[in-house]
Amino acid sequence: MKPTELEERYGARNYAPLDIVIDRAEGVWVWDIDGRRYLDCLAAYSAVNQGHCHPRIVEALIRQSRKVAVTSRAFHNAELGAFFRDVCELTGFERALPMNTGAEAVETAIKLARKWAYTRKGVPSGEAEILAFANNFHGRTTTIVGFSSEPQYREGFGPFTPGFELLPFGDASAARAAVGPNTAAVLVEPIQGEGGIVVPPDGFLAELREVCSERDALLIVDEIQSGLGRTGRMFAHEHDGIRPDVMLLGKALSGGLYPVSVVVADAEIMDVFQPGDHGSTYGGNPVGAAVARAALAVLQDERLVENSARLGEYALGRLRGVRSPLVREVRGRGLWIGIELHESAGGARPYCEKLATQGLLCKETHDHVIRFAPPLVIGREELDWALDRIEEVLQP
């Protein structure tokens, strides 16, 4: 049976992928089982900012896998301390707590915020509240989808965890009105990725920072997709010149080679966790630690953040110059761009399918937005090749 037939026969029906079977990948390129080459402009939702199968990260994976792969946190391992040091020095926070997936990092941050609220802020037991924003995407667990505003993510999965309130994204005045004595935290994406590459107004994050500081609530910034160079800064919140209380990283933290996520905060916050409060069998395992250290080194040594800023500005300029009745808006930062089409265009999926026939892989989100997010190792010539095809497809 063909790979697609095997998936159809045995797999759960929770995805609707494009009709392409990827067999191998290198850098910004992937090849299907028939040998056709495609430029990857999704980058596994920013997991492969460093490019597919980066040799330094692959070598770290192989080298550590031959020594010891997992010990659990019941014991120390030789890689974890160096990983903590590297992450803390990069982010400027005092403590790091490793997990595996982005959703696990978000769940960890929720537990951290609640315990901090009860033990440090003095919120009455069981009354801590976390504020989040409409059109968010923080993961797929039942707790997380419970504070999603997307009906499909919620339908059929209740009852949901209480203690969350949704606010309009980008509306700082709504946040100011909502933060109260029982507010443990405000959880926000600096730019909403799954929401359609939605960039909030200038100053939005700065005002969230101000109100959280004034009213003793934690500002938790979810940088799982937006962080590690995607927007032309190491972290997207740097565009607003703020420092959150808690930051979440994942995806590109391992360069797409292994699931690694981390929650970082200062000791005053993180130290509310005591032994036995929280954990993970695979979180902080030696392979994950070694891979993440290599992935962070590649980002910095190859100046991928600067490349994202430079080429992102160029790509945005070209795409905003496209004259097409199909296009409603082009928005983004760095090499993270959303091309929103008018509803009359019939949805973004057909245009992603057309781009695939021309050797370019993109993905739609929220029905009408084409996401453009190539690996940050992309060069100017490859970027022009991609933009030429996008411009062509956007002509009716």
Side-chain angles (χ1 to χ4, degrees):
M1 296 176 73
K2 296 179 180 178
T4 50
E5 293 171 339
L6 288 169
E7 282 193 33
E8 182 73 14
R9 170 66 179 83
Y10 296 106
R13 310 295 173 83
N14 60 320
Y15 280 95
L18 294 178
D19 191 21
I20 294 163
V21 181
I22 295 173
D23 182 55
R24 63 186 180 92
E26 181 181 352
V28 299
W29 300 97
V30 301
W31 287 261
D32 69 13
I33 54 175
D34 298 314
R36 289 187 292 264
R37 189 177 76 159
Y38 304 83
L39 183 60
D40 179 8
C41 287
L42 182 62
Y45 306 101
S46 294
V48 289
N49 283 1
Q50 299 88 340
H52 289 279
C53 302
H54 193 290
R56 286 178 63 184
I57 310 174
V58 170
E59 174 56 31
L61 175 70
I62 294 170
R63 183 176 62 251
Q64 185 58 45
S65 297
R66 286 175 172 159
K67 292 175 66 180
V68 58
V70 63
T71 60
S72 88
R73 296 294 302 280
F75 312 100
H76 296 287
N77 74 69
E79 291 296 315
L80 189 55
F83 168 66
F84 285 162
R85 178 200 62 208
D86 291 355
V87 168
C88 288
E89 288 183 354
L90 178 69
T91 63
F93 289 93
E94 296 172 346
R95 296 276 194 268
L97 195 165
M99 299 298 288
N100 307 288
T101 66
E104 288 176 277
V106 174
E107 289 275 2
T108 299
I110 290 168
K111 291 175 70 174
L112 178 64
R114 286 177 169 172
K115 185 148 192 182
W116 174 87
Y118 297 135
T119 60
R120 301 290 169 85
K121 185 175 179 178
V123 173
S125 179
E127 296 184 21
E129 182 179 62
I130 294 174
L131 306 179
F133 294 90
N135 296 319
N136 72 74
F137 186 87
H138 295 289
R140 297 279 196 173
T141 66
T142 49
T143 291
I144 293 170
V145 299
F147 59 86
S148 171
S149 61
E150 178 63 38
Q152 185 181 7
Y153 296 167
R154 296 170 53 89
E155 187 175 350
F157 300 123
F160 298 117
T161 308
F164 298 91
E165 180 183 344
L166 281 186
L167 305 171
F169 184 65
D171 188 341
S173 62
R176 184 170 288 279
V179 175
N182 290 346
T183 303
V186 176
L187 172 63
V188 65
E189 300 159 272
I191 295 174
Q192 290 187 331
E194 295 299 308
I197 322 300
V198 180
V199 182
D202 289 343
F204 171 63
L205 292 179
E207 192 156 354
L208 289 186
R209 173 67 280 171
E210 182 178 276
V211 70
C212 286
S213 297
E214 289 174 356
R215 301 181 187 176
D216 197 21
L218 301 181
L219 179 60
I220 304 173
V221 174
D222 180 345
E223 293 267 14
I224 291 164
Q225 272 202 72
S226 61
L228 301 175
R230 175 52 59 187
T231 69
R233 297 284 183 92
M234 183 61 77
F235 308 113
H237 67 263
E238 293 176 339
H239 291 283
D240 276 56
I242 67 153
R243 185 180 191 264
D245 299 298
V246 181
M247 182 166 63
L248 317 179
L249 298 174
K251 296 192 185 296
L253 184 56
S254 65
L257 266 293
Y258 198 90
V260 181
S261 63
V262 73
V263 178
V264 293
D266 285 339
E268 188 275 334
I269 296 167
M270 191 72 82
D271 288 355
V272 302
F273 279 149
Q274 299 297 311
D277 281 351
H278 189 57
S280 165
T281 299
Y282 278 86
N285 71 79
V287 170
V291 165
R293 292 187 64 211
L296 293 177
V298 166
L299 272 176
Q300 295 171 90
D301 294 348
E302 298 187 11
R303 304 183 67 83
L304 298 185
V305 181
E306 293 87 342
N307 196 53
S308 177
R310 183 176 61 256
L311 293 186
E313 183 179 6
Y314 170 73
L316 275 166
R318 274 195 60 174
L319 290 172
R320 284 172 174 159
V322 172
R323 297 291 174 258
S324 168
L326 301 173
V327 177
R328 182 177 182 272
E329 184 181 19
V330 175
R331 53 183 179 259
R333 273 188 175 148
L335 284 170
W336 206 21
I337 298 171
I339 305 166
E340 183 173 352
L341 306 181
H342 290 288
E343 289 191 18
S344 58
R349 174 78 176 215
Y351 298 92
C352 293
E353 292 171 344
K354 290 178 184 177
L355 286 167
T357 66
Q358 298 195 28
L360 184 67
L361 299 184
C362 291
K363 180 71 168 64
E364 79 280 2
T365 187
H366 274 238
D367 295 332
H368 301 289
V369 180
I370 301 171
R371 256 183 300 209
F372 181 74
L376 305 186
V377 295
I378 194 169
R380 172 67 179 268
E381 184 176 341
E382 295 160 326
L383 181 60
D384 278 327
W385 186 93
L387 293 172
D388 288 346
R389 280 148 184 79
I390 292 172
E391 290 174 356
E392 181 180 338
V393 164
L394 290 177
Q395 298 306 317

